[in-house]
Amino acid sequence: MIRLEKRPQPSRVWSMATPLVAVLATMMAGGLLFAALGKDPAEAIRTIFWEPLFGEFAFYYRPQLLIKGAPLVLIAIGLSLGFRAGIWNIGAEGQYIMGALFGAGTGLAFYPMEAWFIFPLMVVAGAVGGWLWAIIPAFLKTRFGTNEILVSLMLVYVAQQFLASMSLGLMKNPEGFGFPGSRNLSEYASANSWIDQDLGLHWGVAAALIAVIFAYILLNRHMLGYHIRLTGEAPRAARFAGVKPARLILFCLGTSGALAGLAGLFEVAGPSGQVSIDFNVGYGFTAIIVAFLGRLHPVGILLAGGLMALTYIGGDIAQSNMGLPSAAIQVFQGMLLFFLLAFDLLTNFRITLRKREVA
């Protein structure tokens, strides 16, 4: 009989190996999925993981890795602070949207003025937009004890309705011939987040790297980071150590929302270029996978963001070259989280075989 037996101490080996094992298991299961769809599984896996880095057109795809990876890393860093403290912000997608709306709205309010202060104002507005959207579940949790998972998740759908309303109404381009969507901010010099478009560099990439460094120092060199880790590992000990749970909830959710809002602002002022109904592409939800795949560690999240960006770019190439449906690529990405959580079980439990006892 197969049984799970709790380990006396969590396995450090399995904790480190789980992300790698999950990636390998995803490749195998994804290969079976692609074979079931009538495609060559080896070719599909090679296309996803090899073509963006070393293929014939890798010079074009490599900058795309920065563009796709930056918002994922920025959002995942914010999520990881809360997750480490046992505060579950599942609504980063809504905070990402609201950051984009606040930031783009600020830029459009000054159009067509050209001034150096417009983009910094947009950055502040984007962070405030995401922060405000995240503070709602934080306030309700600290004041009324509501569940932050449900509240933050439901606010995503409210934010999506705001996005549609803004695209069709207040932010609609008056010179857009009736098409929904705002003016193209990437063509508005004072509201543009690009540093070098050919290299895929925009201010979101710089912000993601700064966030990684900030989170590393916070978690390893600052008392607040110690309180975050202690709250997640031993909540009772944290209370005895003088941690104020309400303040920690407000800080973690607020910081997470501000970073998600910044990701939305940099996206709408750069790669996306405009507020449109389909502006949100699920970065807020995918960042949850990135945070866990990176083991909630800043450097791990940076690597996981690169890996997830690779599956985005490689998935697009596989769709175009092999005719794979986009839903299959999304399932493939979802498998990463599934296998990560499944194998994570082995960190705290081990599988044992016991003979069935005779009555």
Side-chain angles (χ1 to χ4, degrees), residues 262-278:
L262 281 177
L265 174 272
F266 291 128
E267 184 70 13
V268 77
S272 175
Q274 65 172 165
V275 174
S276 60
I277 294 176
D278 56 352

Side-chain angles (χ1 to χ4, degrees), residues 80-213:
S80 69
L81 297 179
F83 291 169
R84 275 184 169 241
I87 302 163
W88 304 99
N89 176 17
I90 308 298
E93 182 76 5
Q95 295 141 28
Y96 169 83
I97 293 171
M98 296 308 291
L101 291 179
F102 271 64
T106 302
L108 292 171
F110 285 99
Y111 182 86
M113 178 194 292
E114 296 286 355
W116 64 267
F117 60 83
I118 293 177
F119 187 67
L121 270 182
M122 291 172 63
V123 173
V124 173
V128 169
W131 180 84
L132 284 174
W133 214 241
I135 280 298
I136 296 173
F139 172 75
L140 293 177
K141 182 177 178 64
T142 54
R143 184 71 177 81
F144 302 107
T146 57
N147 187 310
E148 76 275 18
I149 297 175
L150 294 176
V151 176
S152 61
L153 184 59
M154 286 190 292
L155 283 172
V156 173
Y157 301 104
V158 179
Q160 288 174 341
Q161 296 307 312
F162 269 120
L163 177 65
S165 174
M166 291 294 112
S167 301
L168 297 168
L170 193 60
M171 292 188 185
K172 184 178 176 182
N173 184 0
E175 300 169 1
F177 303 103
F179 289 99
S182 70
R183 296 182 187 276
N184 194 329
L185 291 172
S186 62
E187 296 174 357
Y188 178 22
S190 294
N192 194 326
S193 71
W194 284 112
I195 299 173
D196 189 325
Q197 195 162 352
D198 292 335
L199 296 177
L201 289 173
H202 59 90
W203 284 108
V205 177
L209 294 175
I210 292 170
V212 168
I213 297 169

Side-chain angles (χ1 to χ4, degrees), residues 220 323-324:
N220 295 284
L324 277 172

Side-chain angles (χ1 to χ4, degrees), residues 47-69 197-200 306 309-321:
T47 300
I48 292 173
F49 289 98
W50 181 267
E51 286 294 328
L53 294 175
F54 308 108
E56 183 180 359
F57 300 102
F59 66 91
Y60 172 76
Y61 294 121
R62 283 176 193 148
Q64 298 293 319
L65 292 173
L66 293 178
I67 293 172
K68 291 289 185 185
Q197 195 162 352
D198 292 335
L199 296 177
L310 189 64
T311 65
Y312 266 115
I313 306 300
D316 288 344
I317 300 172
Q319 285 180 56
S320 133
N321 292 358

